[in-house]
Amino acid sequence: MNEFEIFLDIQQGLPRQGPGDRESTLRALSLVSLPAESGAILDVGCGPGMQTVELAKATGLRITALDFHRPFLEQLGALARSAGVEDRIQIVHGSMFEMDFPEKSFDIIWAEGSIYIAGFEKALGDWKRFLRDGAFLAATHITWFDENPPEEIRDFWEAEYPEITTIEGNLGIIERSGYRIKGHFPLPDPSWWDDYYAPLEAKLPASREKYKDVPEAQGVIGAIEREIEMHRNYSAYYGYVFYVMQKP
Ligand SMILES: C[S@@+](CC[C@H](N)C(=O)[O-])C[C@H]1O[C@@H](n2cnc3c(N)ncnc32)[C@H](O)[C@@H]1O
């Protein structure tokens, strides 16, 4: 197992794979004008799909949910079945870098905690072709709340995601990319903990034991602990912001 496979194994089974919560998903959805019943949503990097199922329940629309990690998609399948929305969710195992959907085939693109993987600005450019005219893109993205954060957290995020910028910086990227801004709001702090960091942190002692003879795994666990510690110490300086925009 390489480090990334170990990381995915430790993350397996969590309710979410990144910060988020039901109320924030629905709040972002309220900034979108819903299409007719035949409309379609693309959920990129859907993970275990908590937001996918919320979107299915709230909109009644068809959703294509794409992720490259099969076990997360199996988790989504089970969640969708238990919510009775599996008929409207098409699960696609694939990479966000190789999406070949027809042009202008979606009314909404949704990306919670996943747009950083493609890069915010690049994704806004690359994914636009899949949106119909007047369609929406909603994404959560890591953002500075303070443009002068302490050195330790600045160094941490500049190593993890060098493009990190402020709300104003991201709004500038959205406008430069040719979208209309429909709204934005920060995720509340519990959305980092309740379904993500708290259950992840609870798994770490057992993961340390499981991988006690695998030095790479100890490094992966150390990096997860550091990320959680950074959030505990510096959440006033950064967080996730939901950005909702419209293709003209
Ligand atoms: C931070 S998680 C967010 C998952 C989910 N949206 C949520 O909020 O719980 C990022 C997700 O992107 C997926 N991912 C990473 N790289 C990907 C790629 N190249 N193509 C598709 N999915 C990818 C991961 O498997 C993971 O499920």
Side-chain angles (χ1 to χ4, degrees), residues 20-148:
D21 64 90
R22 178 175 178 275
E23 290 70 28
S24 297
T25 298
L26 297 179
R27 183 174 170 191
L29 188 64
S30 74
L31 299 169
V32 163
S33 318
L34 285 181
E37 255 175 42
S38 57
I41 301 176
L42 171 63
D43 186 358
V44 182
C46 60
M50 189 181 266
Q51 74 293 326
T52 323
V53 169
E54 285 307 326
L55 291 171
K57 289 197 295 195
T59 65
L61 299 176
R62 286 177 297 114
I63 305 183
T64 301
L66 176 135
D67 202 283
F68 78 162
H69 189 53
R70 244 183 237 287
F72 294 160
L73 294 173
E74 285 160 13
Q75 206 178 327
L76 161 60
L79 190 64
R81 282 189 295 281
S82 68
V85 294
E86 72 275 22
D87 291 353
R88 283 189 288 106
I89 298 178
Q90 186 196 359
I91 293 177
V92 177
H93 178 235
S95 171
M96 67 175 79
F97 295 105
E98 291 162 15
M99 296 193 289
D100 61 355
F101 303 109
E103 285 198 9
K104 299 192 177 184
S105 51
F106 292 102
D107 299 281
I108 305 172
I109 292 180
W110 208 265
E112 289 198 35
S114 55
I115 200 164
Y116 80 97
I117 295 160
F120 192 63
E121 186 156 12
K122 189 168 186 318
L124 296 192
D126 288 352
W127 299 353
K128 203 181 204 177
R129 66 184 189 280
F130 302 127
L131 289 171
R132 298 190 174 117
D133 297 340
F136 295 84
L137 192 154
T140 56
H141 191 45
I142 192 77
T143 301
W144 288 128
F145 296 149
D146 184 323
E147 55 189 23
N148 292 305

